[in-house]
Amino acid sequence: MQPPSPAPVLVTGASSGIGAAIAREYARRGVPLVLTARRGERLRALAAELAPRVACEVLVADLARPGAAAHVHAALGERGIRVGGLVNNAGYGVPGDYLTPSWARHADFLQVMVTATCELTWRLLPDIRAGGQGRILNVASFAALVPGAAGQTLYAGAKSFLVRFSESLALENRRHGVRVCALCPGFTRSEFHDVTGTRALVSQLPRWMWLDADAVARAGVDGVERGRTVVVPGLPYKALRAAIRLLPEAVLHTAMARGSRRIRDAG
């Protein structure tokens, strides 16, 4: 008798970068997928790529819109899909001084990074619990684990929230068989910095600070499957995290201020 097929995993922000890499990693493991993002053409291309391995559904949605999470949930119901896992990956950065962008741009950012993540998790959690082996992977950032840098006023805060949210959610849902993990990668090769317009600045960083998106995805999926609550991919970042825990807060803030200034001056 063959084991039952795994329930689908929904991946937000699946059209590129870490989101697409996580979708490919799940497909490699034979897990069906629901892919969602704003860019329908890219989603359909990825679904076609993965279709020989697993069933893929595409849901085009812009999570910056307040009703998007409810729309995604309703669309799953209409298609008769009950997900067993969720990857909250959709996100981006708003570069520059806090007062430079309009509040409308900040509000869209918070809607995608915090509100939509929480609402989508809340709406899908009953189905994820029902299977008894649910998984939730929240893509945070190494920025959540260090003092905030200039130009990351909301980004670091939102990612820090994701880590704490994941930790609490993991404790609350352990008895339901649901594993929750915050993935905290450092600088990762993807389109992220092209979209935010910071490619020239981050290109000044040494090569050892850059991670491969496929390796990050593998670390995240492995981590949530093993019941890890926080995963930091890459030996250099693991070492940095250990060092940060030992350094006085004043030293860390001084180092972050100097590092931010050096990157800005290099640009």
Side-chain angles (χ1 to χ4, degrees):
M1 186 182 220
Q2 289 187 339
S5 298
V9 169
L10 187 146
V11 183
T12 71
S15 59
S16 64
I18 293 174
I22 290 174
R24 291 186 177 100
E25 181 62 25
Y26 271 115
R28 189 181 67 80
R29 300 175 188 222
V31 178
L33 293 159
V34 180
L35 309 174
T36 184
R38 292 180 298 114
R39 296 178 289 186
E41 288 186 10
R42 289 218 178 176
L43 287 181
R44 287 185 281 272
L46 179 59
E49 172 194 329
L50 302 181
R53 290 187 171 186
V54 295
C56 289
E57 292 277 342
V58 168
L59 283 175
V60 179
D62 182 358
L63 293 179
R65 297 180 180 274
H71 165 73
V72 169
H73 182 239
L76 291 173
E78 290 168 3
R79 300 186 190 189
I81 299 171
R82 297 186 64 170
V83 299
L86 170 63
V87 178
N88 286 306
N89 166 76
Y92 58 98
V94 178
D97 182 83
Y98 184 54
L99 291 178
T100 301
S102 67
W103 178 249
R105 193 173 181 195
H106 282 320
D108 284 349
F109 172 86
L110 290 170
Q111 174 66 34
V112 172
M113 303 286 281
V114 178
T115 304
T117 292
C118 292
E119 183 181 351
L120 196 57
T121 301
W122 181 82
R123 291 185 180 279
L124 298 183
L125 188 54
D127 282 351
I128 293 172
R129 280 182 173 183
Q133 293 183 332
R135 305 289 185 263
I136 298 174
L137 180 60
N138 293 319
V139 180
S141 169
F142 193 76
L145 307 176
V146 298
Q152 288 191 343
T153 313
L154 287 183
Y155 184 82
K159 293 299 189 180
S160 296
F161 167 81
L162 269 185
V163 173
R164 295 293 176 254
F165 175 61
S166 300
E167 290 171 337
S168 296
L169 203 63
L171 290 172
E172 190 173 299
N173 287 278
R174 183 178 295 168
R175 64 190 177 92
H176 299 285
V178 178
R179 297 177 181 177
V180 184
C181 177
L183 175 62
C184 298
F187 292 98
T188 304
R189 297 182 188 90
S190 70
E191 296 178 6
F192 179 88
H193 299 288
D194 298 313
V195 173
T196 60
T198 57
R199 174 62 62 191
L201 292 179
V202 298
S203 294
Q204 309 297 323
L205 296 171
R207 291 180 63 185
W208 66 263
M209 294 188 72
W210 288 96
L211 301 172
D212 176 73
D214 291 338
V216 168
R218 188 163 53 252
V221 176
D222 282 344
V224 73
E225 289 301 319
R226 293 172 182 170
R228 302 271 304 279
T229 307
V230 177
V231 168
V232 177
L235 288 176
Y237 285 100
K238 285 181 172 64
L240 277 175
R241 188 189 186 199
I244 286 166
R245 288 171 165 172
L246 299 174
L247 291 174
E249 189 171 330
V251 173
L252 288 172
H253 280 283
T254 300
M256 292 300 293
R258 288 177 178 172
S260 298
R261 191 181 309 117
R262 186 162 54 248
I263 291 175
R264 288 198 302 273
D265 291 346

